[in-house]
PDB file of all heavy atoms in Angstrom:
ATOM      1  N   ARG O  81      -1.838  41.549  -4.686  1.00 81.00           N
ATOM      2  CA  ARG O  81      -3.295  41.758  -4.541  1.00 81.00           C
ATOM      3  C   ARG O  81      -3.636  43.242  -4.412  1.00 81.00           C
ATOM      4  O   ARG O  81      -4.742  43.645  -4.741  1.00 81.00           O
ATOM      5  CB  ARG O  81      -3.824  41.019  -3.321  1.00 81.00           C
ATOM      6  CG  ARG O  81      -3.674  39.536  -3.442  1.00 81.00           C
ATOM      7  CD  ARG O  81      -4.984  38.796  -3.326  1.00 81.00           C
ATOM      8  NE  ARG O  81      -4.929  37.707  -4.273  1.00 81.00           N
ATOM      9  CZ  ARG O  81      -5.850  37.445  -5.181  1.00 81.00           C
ATOM     10  NH1 ARG O  81      -6.937  38.160  -5.244  1.00 81.00           N
ATOM     11  NH2 ARG O  81      -5.707  36.457  -6.021  1.00 81.00           N
ATOM     12  N   ASP O  82      -2.660  44.031  -3.904  1.00 83.00           N
ATOM     13  CA  ASP O  82      -2.927  45.466  -3.763  1.00 83.00           C
ATOM     14  C   ASP O  82      -3.258  46.115  -5.106  1.00 83.00           C
ATOM     15  O   ASP O  82      -3.966  47.112  -5.164  1.00 83.00           O
ATOM     16  CB  ASP O  82      -1.703  46.166  -3.161  1.00 83.00           C
ATOM     17  CG  ASP O  82      -1.720  46.064  -1.649  1.00 83.00           C
ATOM     18  OD1 ASP O  82      -2.804  45.757  -1.110  1.00 83.00           O
ATOM     19  OD2 ASP O  82      -0.673  46.274  -1.020  1.00 83.00           O
ATOM     20  N   MET O  83      -2.689  45.526  -6.171  1.00 88.00           N
ATOM     21  CA  MET O  83      -2.921  46.110  -7.498  1.00 88.00           C
ATOM     22  C   MET O  83      -4.388  46.028  -7.898  1.00 88.00           C
ATOM     23  O   MET O  83      -4.817  46.735  -8.800  1.00 88.00           O
ATOM     24  CB  MET O  83      -2.086  45.373  -8.547  1.00 88.00           C
ATOM     25  CG  MET O  83      -0.597  45.490  -8.373  1.00 88.00           C
ATOM     26  SD  MET O  83       0.194  44.442  -9.613  1.00 88.00           S
ATOM     27  CE  MET O  83       1.927  44.752  -9.252  1.00 88.00           C
ATOM     28  N   THR O  84      -5.139  45.153  -7.258  1.00 86.00           N
ATOM     29  CA  THR O  84      -6.533  44.959  -7.676  1.00 86.00           C
ATOM     30  C   THR O  84      -7.500  45.874  -6.932  1.00 86.00           C
ATOM     31  O   THR O  84      -8.675  45.908  -7.250  1.00 86.00           O
ATOM     32  CB  THR O  84      -6.978  43.503  -7.420  1.00 86.00           C
ATOM     33  OG1 THR O  84      -6.994  43.291  -6.004  1.00 86.00           O
ATOM     34  CG2 THR O  84      -6.035  42.521  -8.066  1.00 86.00           C
ATOM     35  N   ARG O  85      -7.007  46.574  -5.922  1.00 83.00           N
ATOM     36  CA  ARG O  85      -7.906  47.444  -5.147  1.00 83.00           C
ATOM     37  C   ARG O  85      -8.504  48.516  -6.040  1.00 83.00           C
ATOM     38  O   ARG O  85      -7.826  49.063  -6.912  1.00 83.00           O
ATOM     39  CB  ARG O  85      -7.131  48.115  -3.995  1.00 83.00           C
ATOM     40  CG  ARG O  85      -6.439  47.153  -3.065  1.00 83.00           C
ATOM     41  CD  ARG O  85      -7.217  46.910  -1.769  1.00 83.00           C
ATOM     42  NE  ARG O  85      -6.970  45.563  -1.245  1.00 83.00           N
ATOM     43  CZ  ARG O  85      -5.910  45.218  -0.512  1.00 83.00           C
ATOM     44  NH1 ARG O  85      -5.003  46.105  -0.215  1.00 83.00           N
ATOM     45  NH2 ARG O  85      -5.777  43.982  -0.070  1.00 83.00           N
ATOM     46  N   ILE O  86      -9.757  48.826  -5.778  1.00 81.00           N
ATOM     47  CA  ILE O  86     -10.429  49.855  -6.572  1.00 81.00           C
ATOM     48  C   ILE O  86      -9.882  51.227  -6.171  1.00 81.00           C
ATOM     49  O   ILE O  86      -9.852  51.580  -4.989  1.00 81.00           O
ATOM     50  CB  ILE O  86     -11.955  49.785  -6.353  1.00 81.00           C
ATOM     51  CG1 ILE O  86     -12.471  48.476  -6.936  1.00 81.00           C
ATOM     52  CG2 ILE O  86     -12.643  50.973  -7.009  1.00 81.00           C
ATOM     53  CD1 ILE O  86     -13.830  48.086  -6.461  1.00 81.00           C
ATOM     54  N   ALA O  87      -9.443  51.982  -7.187  1.00 83.00           N
ATOM     55  CA  ALA O  87      -8.775  53.254  -6.911  1.00 83.00           C
ATOM     56  C   ALA O  87      -9.794  54.360  -6.678  1.00 83.00           C
ATOM     57  O   ALA O  87     -10.970  54.217  -7.009  1.00 83.00           O
ATOM     58  CB  ALA O  87      -7.870  53.608  -8.080  1.00 83.00           C
ATOM     59  N   ASP O  88      -9.302  55.470  -6.124  1.00 90.00           N
ATOM     60  CA  ASP O  88     -10.237  56.575  -5.862  1.00 90.00           C
ATOM     61  C   ASP O  88     -10.518  57.351  -7.160  1.00 90.00           C
ATOM     62  O   ASP O  88      -9.869  57.167  -8.178  1.00 90.00           O
ATOM     63  CB  ASP O  88      -9.689  57.491  -4.763  1.00 90.00           C
ATOM     64  CG  ASP O  88      -8.312  58.022  -5.114  1.00 90.00           C
ATOM     65  OD1 ASP O  88      -8.068  58.263  -6.317  1.00 90.00           O
ATOM     66  OD2 ASP O  88      -7.484  58.193  -4.203  1.00 90.00           O
ATOM     67  N   LYS O  89     -11.505  58.249  -7.064  1.00 92.00           N
ATOM     68  CA  LYS O  89     -11.971  58.994  -8.247  1.00 92.00           C
ATOM     69  C   LYS O  89     -10.847  59.846  -8.868  1.00 92.00           C
ATOM     70  O   LYS O  89     -10.771  59.972 -10.093  1.00 92.00           O
ATOM     71  CB  LYS O  89     -13.134  59.909  -7.826  1.00 92.00           C
ATOM     72  CG  LYS O  89     -14.445  59.181  -7.611  1.00 92.00           C
ATOM     73  CD  LYS O  89     -15.333  59.398  -8.821  1.00 92.00           C
ATOM     74  CE  LYS O  89     -16.731  58.812  -8.691  1.00 92.00           C
ATOM     75  NZ  LYS O  89     -16.858  57.463  -8.190  1.00 92.00           N
ATOM     76  N   ASP O  90      -9.982  60.399  -8.001  1.00 94.00           N
ATOM     77  CA  ASP O  90      -8.904  61.255  -8.513  1.00 94.00           C
ATOM     78  C   ASP O  90      -7.998  60.474  -9.453  1.00 94.00           C
ATOM     79  O   ASP O  90      -7.602  60.963 -10.510  1.00 94.00           O
ATOM     80  CB  ASP O  90      -8.064  61.799  -7.349  1.00 94.00           C
ATOM     81  CG  ASP O  90      -8.856  62.794  -6.533  1.00 94.00           C
ATOM     82  OD1 ASP O  90      -9.958  63.165  -7.003  1.00 94.00           O
ATOM     83  OD2 ASP O  90      -8.392  63.184  -5.449  1.00 94.00           O
ATOM     84  N   ALA O  91      -7.668  59.258  -9.030  1.00 95.00           N
ATOM     85  CA  ALA O  91      -6.788  58.436  -9.852  1.00 95.00           C
ATOM     86  C   ALA O  91      -7.448  58.152 -11.193  1.00 95.00           C
ATOM     87  O   ALA O  91      -6.808  58.233 -12.248  1.00 95.00           O
ATOM     88  CB  ALA O  91      -6.455  57.132  -9.126  1.00 95.00           C
ATOM     89  N   VAL O  92      -8.744  57.884 -11.152  1.00 96.00           N
ATOM     90  CA  VAL O  92      -9.473  57.615 -12.393  1.00 96.00           C
ATOM     91  C   VAL O  92      -9.424  58.857 -13.286  1.00 96.00           C
ATOM     92  O   VAL O  92      -9.181  58.775 -14.499  1.00 96.00           O
ATOM     93  CB  VAL O  92     -10.934  57.208 -12.086  1.00 96.00           C
ATOM     94  CG1 VAL O  92     -11.742  57.108 -13.380  1.00 96.00           C
ATOM     95  CG2 VAL O  92     -10.963  55.895 -11.317  1.00 96.00           C
ATOM     96  N   GLY O  93      -9.622  60.024 -12.674  1.00 96.00           N
ATOM     97  CA  GLY O  93      -9.604  61.276 -13.442  1.00 96.00           C
ATOM     98  C   GLY O  93      -8.247  61.509 -14.086  1.00 96.00           C
ATOM     99  O   GLY O  93      -8.141  61.827 -15.274  1.00 96.00           O
ATOM    100  N   ARG O  94      -7.180  61.333 -13.286  1.00 96.00           N
ATOM    101  CA  ARG O  94      -5.832  61.518 -13.847  1.00 96.00           C
ATOM    102  C   ARG O  94      -5.599  60.516 -14.965  1.00 96.00           C
ATOM    103  O   ARG O  94      -5.045  60.839 -16.007  1.00 96.00           O
ATOM    104  CB  ARG O  94      -4.793  61.332 -12.740  1.00 96.00           C
ATOM    105  CG  ARG O  94      -4.711  62.496 -11.759  1.00 96.00           C
ATOM    106  CD  ARG O  94      -3.469  62.393 -10.890  1.00 96.00           C
ATOM    107  NE  ARG O  94      -3.420  61.146 -10.131  1.00 96.00           N
ATOM    108  CZ  ARG O  94      -3.919  61.009  -8.899  1.00 96.00           C
ATOM    109  NH1 ARG O  94      -4.505  62.024  -8.298  1.00 96.00           N
ATOM    110  NH2 ARG O  94      -3.834  59.856  -8.281  1.00 96.00           N
ATOM    111  N   GLY O  95      -6.041  59.284 -14.722  1.00 96.00           N
ATOM    112  CA  GLY O  95      -5.866  58.246 -15.732  1.00 96.00           C
ATOM    113  C   GLY O  95      -6.591  58.606 -17.017  1.00 96.00           C
ATOM    114  O   GLY O  95      -6.075  58.420 -18.116  1.00 96.00           O
ATOM    115  N   ALA O  96      -7.793  59.194 -16.880  1.00 96.00           N
ATOM    116  CA  ALA O  96      -8.580  59.556 -18.065  1.00 96.00           C
ATOM    117  C   ALA O  96      -7.825  60.583 -18.898  1.00 96.00           C
ATOM    118  O   ALA O  96      -7.821  60.537 -20.134  1.00 96.00           O
ATOM    119  CB  ALA O  96      -9.934  60.088 -17.636  1.00 96.00           C
ATOM    120  N   THR O  97      -7.165  61.509 -18.228  1.00 96.00           N
ATOM    121  CA  THR O  97      -6.393  62.520 -18.952  1.00 96.00           C
ATOM    122  C   THR O  97      -5.221  61.876 -19.681  1.00 96.00           C
ATOM    123  O   THR O  97      -4.992  62.105 -20.867  1.00 96.00           O
ATOM    124  CB  THR O  97      -5.879  63.582 -17.960  1.00 96.00           C
ATOM    125  OG1 THR O  97      -6.966  63.993 -17.137  1.00 96.00           O
ATOM    126  CG2 THR O  97      -5.296  64.765 -18.698  1.00 96.00           C
ATOM    127  N   LEU O  98      -4.478  61.055 -18.946  1.00 96.00           N
ATOM    128  CA  LEU O  98      -3.330  60.377 -19.556  1.00 96.00           C
ATOM    129  C   LEU O  98      -3.783  59.505 -20.726  1.00 96.00           C
ATOM    130  O   LEU O  98      -3.070  59.366 -21.717  1.00 96.00           O
ATOM    131  CB  LEU O  98      -2.634  59.492 -18.518  1.00 96.00           C
ATOM    132  CG  LEU O  98      -1.838  60.219 -17.440  1.00 96.00           C
ATOM    133  CD1 LEU O  98      -1.485  59.258 -16.318  1.00 96.00           C
ATOM    134  CD2 LEU O  98      -0.583  60.828 -18.054  1.00 96.00           C
ATOM    135  N   ALA O  99      -4.975  58.926 -20.614  1.00 96.00           N
ATOM    136  CA  ALA O  99      -5.441  57.958 -21.611  1.00 96.00           C
ATOM    137  C   ALA O  99      -5.769  58.626 -22.942  1.00 96.00           C
ATOM    138  O   ALA O  99      -5.960  57.940 -23.943  1.00 96.00           O
ATOM    139  CB  ALA O  99      -6.647  57.200 -21.083  1.00 96.00           C
ATOM    140  N   LEU O 100      -5.812  59.955 -22.954  1.00 95.00           N
ATOM    141  CA  LEU O 100      -6.056  60.623 -24.237  1.00 95.00           C
ATOM    142  C   LEU O 100      -4.974  60.252 -25.244  1.00 95.00           C
ATOM    143  O   LEU O 100      -5.205  60.233 -26.446  1.00 95.00           O
ATOM    144  CB  LEU O 100      -6.088  62.145 -24.029  1.00 95.00           C
ATOM    145  CG  LEU O 100      -7.310  62.633 -23.238  1.00 95.00           C
ATOM    146  CD1 LEU O 100      -7.187  64.112 -22.925  1.00 95.00           C
ATOM    147  CD2 LEU O 100      -8.587  62.350 -24.022  1.00 95.00           C
ATOM    148  N   ASN O 101      -3.790  59.940 -24.716  1.00 93.00           N
ATOM    149  CA  ASN O 101      -2.689  59.475 -25.558  1.00 93.00           C
ATOM    150  C   ASN O 101      -2.948  58.127 -26.211  1.00 93.00           C
ATOM    151  O   ASN O 101      -2.261  57.746 -27.135  1.00 93.00           O
ATOM    152  CB  ASN O 101      -1.439  59.318 -24.677  1.00 93.00           C
ATOM    153  CG  ASN O 101      -0.481  60.455 -24.903  1.00 93.00           C
ATOM    154  OD1 ASN O 101      -0.618  61.166 -25.899  1.00 93.00           O
ATOM    155  ND2 ASN O 101       0.456  60.621 -23.985  1.00 93.00           N
ATOM    156  N   CYS O 102      -3.871  57.359 -25.644  1.00 95.00           N
ATOM    157  CA  CYS O 102      -4.025  55.957 -26.038  1.00 95.00           C
ATOM    158  C   CYS O 102      -5.181  55.745 -27.007  1.00 95.00           C
ATOM    159  O   CYS O 102      -5.342  54.662 -27.564  1.00 95.00           O
ATOM    160  CB  CYS O 102      -4.261  55.083 -24.808  1.00 95.00           C
ATOM    161  SG  CYS O 102      -3.216  55.521 -23.401  1.00 95.00           S
ATOM    162  N   THR O 103      -6.008  56.806 -27.154  1.00 94.00           N
ATOM    163  CA  THR O 103      -7.285  56.610 -27.852  1.00 94.00           C
ATOM    164  C   THR O 103      -7.108  56.233 -29.312  1.00 94.00           C
ATOM    165  O   THR O 103      -7.961  55.573 -29.881  1.00 94.00           O
ATOM    166  CB  THR O 103      -8.136  57.889 -27.777  1.00 94.00           C
ATOM    167  OG1 THR O 103      -7.322  58.975 -28.215  1.00 94.00           O
ATOM    168  CG2 THR O 103      -8.614  58.122 -26.369  1.00 94.00           C
ATOM    169  N   MET O 104      -6.018  56.655 -29.914  1.00 93.00           N
ATOM    170  CA  MET O 104      -5.830  56.406 -31.338  1.00 93.00           C
ATOM    171  C   MET O 104      -5.958  54.923 -31.654  1.00 93.00           C
ATOM    172  O   MET O 104      -6.591  54.523 -32.618  1.00 93.00           O
ATOM    173  CB  MET O 104      -4.449  56.914 -31.765  1.00 93.00           C
ATOM    174  CG  MET O 104      -4.222  56.868 -33.256  1.00 93.00           C
ATOM    175  SD  MET O 104      -5.254  58.055 -34.105  1.00 93.00           S
ATOM    176  CE  MET O 104      -4.253  59.527 -33.935  1.00 93.00           C
ATOM    177  N   CYS O 105      -5.348  54.086 -30.812  1.00 94.00           N
ATOM    178  CA  CYS O 105      -5.413  52.634 -31.069  1.00 94.00           C
ATOM    179  C   CYS O 105      -6.458  51.937 -30.209  1.00 94.00           C
ATOM    180  O   CYS O 105      -7.151  51.033 -30.663  1.00 94.00           O
ATOM    181  CB  CYS O 105      -4.063  51.980 -30.827  1.00 94.00           C
ATOM    182  SG  CYS O 105      -2.769  52.663 -31.848  1.00 94.00           S
ATOM    183  N   HIS O 106      -6.529  52.339 -28.923  1.00 95.00           N
ATOM    184  CA  HIS O 106      -7.352  51.559 -27.990  1.00 95.00           C
ATOM    185  C   HIS O 106      -8.789  52.076 -27.905  1.00 95.00           C
ATOM    186  O   HIS O 106      -9.564  51.590 -27.074  1.00 95.00           O
ATOM    187  CB  HIS O 106      -6.717  51.543 -26.606  1.00 95.00           C
ATOM    188  CG  HIS O 106      -5.426  50.779 -26.545  1.00 95.00           C
ATOM    189  ND1 HIS O 106      -5.365  49.404 -26.608  1.00 95.00           N
ATOM    190  CD2 HIS O 106      -4.129  51.190 -26.488  1.00 95.00           C
ATOM    191  CE1 HIS O 106      -4.098  48.999 -26.545  1.00 95.00           C
ATOM    192  NE2 HIS O 106      -3.323  50.071 -26.489  1.00 95.00           N
ATOM    193  N   GLY O 107      -9.137  53.063 -28.721  1.00 93.00           N
ATOM    194  CA  GLY O 107     -10.509  53.535 -28.773  1.00 93.00           C
ATOM    195  C   GLY O 107     -10.772  54.629 -27.754  1.00 93.00           C
ATOM    196  O   GLY O 107     -10.121  54.689 -26.702  1.00 93.00           O
ATOM    197  N   ALA O 108     -11.768  55.470 -28.080  1.00 90.00           N
ATOM    198  CA  ALA O 108     -12.061  56.612 -27.206  1.00 90.00           C
ATOM    199  C   ALA O 108     -12.483  56.147 -25.818  1.00 90.00           C
ATOM    200  O   ALA O 108     -12.189  56.791 -24.823  1.00 90.00           O
ATOM    201  CB  ALA O 108     -13.157  57.454 -27.843  1.00 90.00           C
TER     202      ALA O 108
END
Side-chain angles (χ1 to χ4, degrees):
Chain O
R81 296 238 142 232
D82 276 343
M83 296 175 179
T84 66
R85 304 260 150 82
I86 293 163
D88 56 35
K89 284 258 185 314
D90 291 350
V92 173
R94 286 193 302 269
T97 312
L98 288 167
L100 291 173
N101 256 344
C102 318
T103 51
M104 187 69 84
C105 301
H106 292 287

